[in-house]
Amino acid sequence: MWGWQDLRVGALLTSTPTPIPSRPAPAAGDLAPLLPADPSAIAGYRLLGRLGAGGMGVVYLGRTDAGELAAVKVTLADRAERTDFRSRFRREVEAARRVVSPWAVPVLGADPDAPEPWLATAFVPGPSLGEAVVAHGPLPERGLRILGGAVARALAAVHAAGLVHRDVKPANVLLAVDGPRLIDFGIARAADPAGETALTGTDMVVGTPGFLAPEQAEARTEDVGPASDVFALGCLLAYAATGRPPFGTGAVDALMYRTVHDEPDLAGVPDGLLPLLRGCLAKDPAARPTAEQLAGRLAEDTPGAAADWLPAPVVRTIAERSARMLALPDIDPTSTPAAAPPAGPGRRRFLLLAGGAGLLAAGGGTWLALRDDGGNGGTEGKRPAPPPKARKWTIGVQADLSGPGKAVGQAQERGVRLAVEAFNSRADKPFTLDVKVSDDRGDQHRGAAAARVLTSDPDVLGIIGPSHDYTGYAALPAYDEARLPVLTVSAGYNLLTNPGLGQGLSVVRLCSRHNYAALYLAYHVLAKSPRPVTRPGLLQDRTDENYSWQYVVGASIGFKGSGVLPHPRVVPAGAKRLERVLGEMVDAGIDAYLHAGLAPSAVRAAKTLDALGFTGMRITGQHVYGDEFLRGAGAAAEGWVVGAPVVPPGIRKQAAAFVAAHRARFGTGPAPYAGEAYDAVTLLAGEVAKAFKGGRRPDRTTLPGLLRKATHKGIMGEYGFVEDGNLTGVGTFLYTVRNGRYEPMDWAPSAPPTPKGTPKPASAPQGT
């Protein structure tokens, strides 16, 4: 049985869940133009644009002659040739058609037997629950009850049809003013699994980690049933109430383990909902209520035509997306000319009523005032509009400027401002740049709001930052929705770029991911230790669990891939029992030590190992690099090796002018990450200048693709990127502590040592 402890090496490096045959619903704001090879119509649906695309096919926005909008999923022909895939597609169509509920998106048409099978479902122009919570925060209690009651009714209909949805998650619940809609029956199956093992498999985890039941996490196929959907709904409601999943986030196997063994974190859930959610999240499926019982306990009221069950910002999002649909091309005229249509709302009225209720809902605090312009733009008898103001060309900065990580954030802001000043001083500049800053204070709960300050400004062409892993992750949905390029020089959290989860689509990372950085640190230990290393100690401090887990994973792969078995240990958050665990590791005979944790525990580790007389190599990573470790550890820090994605500007002759400008402007030399932020701006400005043609500013949504294909020689080195936006090469620079200071060494090796010696990095993105 595939379990939480059996993840493969590749999955560990990316922390991507086991492949799941489902996808988030495309958002209305994400419409892209049709490509030349796309059809213009499918089975009576005129195609207006692309809502999304992937390896399996394309989802289009389609419209009938009557003005009805639909999401039309079309499978690629090569996929359709596979009998098993066509069977799965047919099963999805049949499952969706069997579910009859006002709270499930209905099937409008389908043809599983077409050369390219297609499925059309009603189009909902609202955001997913996940988008809404990330962008605007948790729902109020009344909204939670209405959300839960509606989704529970949809699941009751699913279960009445003899099915199990198996993927109830925030991305699969769309929000309309008249209530939520459950979508995506791509992995639904019969409640009785007999006869379906050929399609589903008995040892495969199906669902989304963090929103699946213990029986799904342990791949106990025979136990997966309607109660599994109820558990997932409990997770979904906890997320909607608090803004976080009840079993946390992070590595997939850790999520699976917590789902099976830990109690859910329900802090912040309204008291009136706590007993209900605890019942949904019972480990024993038999102890959970049915979806029908749950609907009865939640059904205090229904949304009706008013939108007051949703926060006003969410209603505004629905309104804005519906308004964007008004700009879609009109229906092609028929061959027989018709008289001019009478004045009236027509398609506009249909769009505003999409989902079953008008957006003129006063309770939601938002309404759309639309008029018929009679085809002349509404200019007759009106004053001419004033000329538009010249648009700015703005670089956005999202960073921690006043919180615990302000040293890094402020350094990046200074680097950005110096790069903009240098660009504006050029005699040949094609345009003048401006800077707009959004301070997230290092608080992940402020990450999304800080991002919206920048995404809502049409003059912002790209973002430098975020400076922190988790504010960056919280900001991802806003940046993904806006398709605004995001260049980060310090956020190494692996899930910031993860197309497998449909996120980080616009991120360009100028630093190494944490798991790869740890991989290179392990290579350095093997290559440079004064004595052969056969039993390296590897300690994970769970104070920052995602960061430390990624370091453990990367280092383990580096050691094991070289035939060396590490000695791993874990200490809980706060590094309790750290000294005792380190003593046990030394007694076990470790001959090198890699610290996967933060500066406070690294200080304690340095002092403890020093007191124990440990003489092996000691090495750690990015979140220890800084003055806190030097000050706290004192003499015990001597000899430690620290890796971080920053190069000292003083050793780069290309950075001499930057160093001088920084001293003149700010009265001091540049701090770490200032030079890398400077390079990020010059990279972005260069690609914007290349795309600036015919006097027209480029569409900012085209810039992520251009940046990911770019190479750049900056003052701190050279940069190149792979298709998903991650840095090629190493990106981890090494320092050793000498006389209380970080002494620069070199780039970490990109491969393990060979008998002939340690090779040079194959492709370091930033050379010295």
Side-chain angles (χ1 to χ4, degrees), residues 510-522 524 551 619-622 641-647 727-735 745-750 761 763-766 768:
L510 282 73
C511 60
S512 181
R513 285 170 281 182
H514 295 317
N515 41 20
Y516 279 87
L519 176 74
Y520 305 138
L521 295 187
H524 177 80
Y551 260 74
I619 193 167
T620 188
Q622 176 182 348
V641 176
V642 184
V646 290
V647 183
L727 188 70
T728 58
V730 179
T732 299
F733 198 82
L734 297 177
Y735 301 80
M745 295 173 64
D746 203 344
W747 293 101
S750 61
S763 56
Q766 306 164 324
T768 55

Side-chain angles (χ1 to χ4, degrees), residues 362-741:
T366 301
W367 64 284
L368 290 181
L370 300 175
R371 57 178 174 77
D372 179 66
D373 57 28
N376 61 11
T379 60
E380 183 176 345
K382 300 182 183 292
R383 297 178 180 176
K389 295 181 179 179
R391 294 185 63 181
K392 294 181 179 179
W393 301 65
T394 303
I395 304 293
V397 179
Q398 180 181 345
D400 176 4
L401 301 176
S402 58
K406 63 182 179 181
V408 171
Q410 291 171 358
Q412 293 183 26
E413 181 191 2
R414 289 181 172 186
V416 170
R417 293 193 181 279
L418 286 176
V420 167
E421 290 172 7
F423 183 90
N424 290 341
S425 68
R426 289 169 38 186
D428 63 341
K429 62 181 179 295
F431 43 80
T432 299
L433 290 174
D434 198 0
V435 178
K436 183 171 184 175
V437 176
S438 184
D439 181 7
D440 59 34
R441 302 181 189 173
D443 181 352
Q444 68 183 94
H445 300 296
R446 294 179 55 87
R452 291 197 303 273
V453 170
L454 301 173
T455 59
S456 61
D457 185 344
D459 289 337
V460 173
L461 292 171
I463 307 300
I464 308 303
S467 58
H468 189 276
D469 287 339
Y470 306 122
T471 55
Y473 192 65
L476 268 188
Y479 288 133
D480 281 345
E481 181 180 8
R483 292 295 189 267
L484 189 62
V486 179
L487 293 80
T488 183
V489 300
S490 56
Y493 186 33
N494 57 345
L495 293 186
L496 286 174
T497 48
N498 199 324
L501 293 181
Q503 59 194 18
L505 305 178
S506 299
V507 174
V508 179
R509 199 194 311 254
L510 282 73
C511 60
S512 181
R513 285 170 281 182
H514 295 317
N515 41 20
Y516 279 87
L519 176 74
Y520 305 138
L521 295 187
Y523 291 162
H524 177 80
V525 171
L526 297 174
K528 297 297 184 180
S529 175
R531 298 183 298 274
V533 172
T534 60
R535 192 170 177 77
L538 181 57
L539 186 131
Q540 177 190 358
D541 166 16
R542 294 182 62 182
T543 302
D544 184 340
E545 184 170 11
N546 291 326
Y547 167 81
S548 59
W549 171 251
Q550 290 173 67
Y551 260 74
V552 166
V553 167
S556 295
I557 291 171
F559 287 129
K560 292 178 181 178
S562 302
V564 175
L565 187 65
H567 180 70
R569 293 301 304 273
V570 179
V571 293
K576 300 173 183 177
R577 303 191 303 274
L578 173 64
E579 288 76 10
R580 188 180 73 185
V581 170
L582 287 171
E584 293 171 355
M585 295 174 75
V586 172
D587 288 343
I590 63 170
D591 48 16
Y593 175 77
L594 191 150
H595 187 84
L598 307 183
S601 60
V603 167
R604 291 168 58 189
K607 291 181 176 180
T608 302
L609 292 174
D610 192 51
L612 292 170
F614 179 74
T615 59
M617 178 177 283
R618 292 144 293 163
I619 193 167
T620 188
Q622 176 182 348
H623 286 355
V624 174
Y625 177 71
D627 291 340
E628 181 181 358
F629 177 64
L630 298 180
R631 291 194 306 266
E638 292 293 305
W640 274 67
V641 176
V642 184
V646 290
V647 183
I651 70 171
R652 295 279 300 171
K653 62 181 181 180
Q654 298 91 333
F658 165 72
V659 173
H662 196 285
R663 287 191 180 279
R665 178 79 157 76
F666 301 109
T668 183
Y673 300 101
E676 285 74 19
Y678 184 100
D679 281 349
V681 174
T682 56
L683 167 61
L684 175 59
E687 292 305 309
V688 171
K690 291 177 186 177
F692 177 45
K693 298 176 182 178
R696 297 180 61 186
R697 61 193 285 131
D699 179 353
R700 65 186 187 179
T701 65
T702 65
L703 294 176
L706 297 176
L707 288 163
R708 289 180 171 188
K709 295 176 182 177
T711 57
H712 179 60
K713 291 185 178 181
I715 62 169
M716 307 308 295
E718 299 182 9
Y719 305 82
F721 310 95
V722 293
E723 186 177 355
D724 64 0
N726 277 303
L727 188 70
T728 58
V730 179
T732 299
F733 198 82
L734 297 177
Y735 301 80
T736 187
V737 180
R738 298 255 187 253
N739 300 318
R741 302 177 63 182

Side-chain angles (χ1 to χ4, degrees), residues 161-173:
L163 300 169
V164 183
H165 189 284
R166 297 199 299 172
D167 200 20
V168 179
K169 60 183 179 182
N172 281 343
V173 175

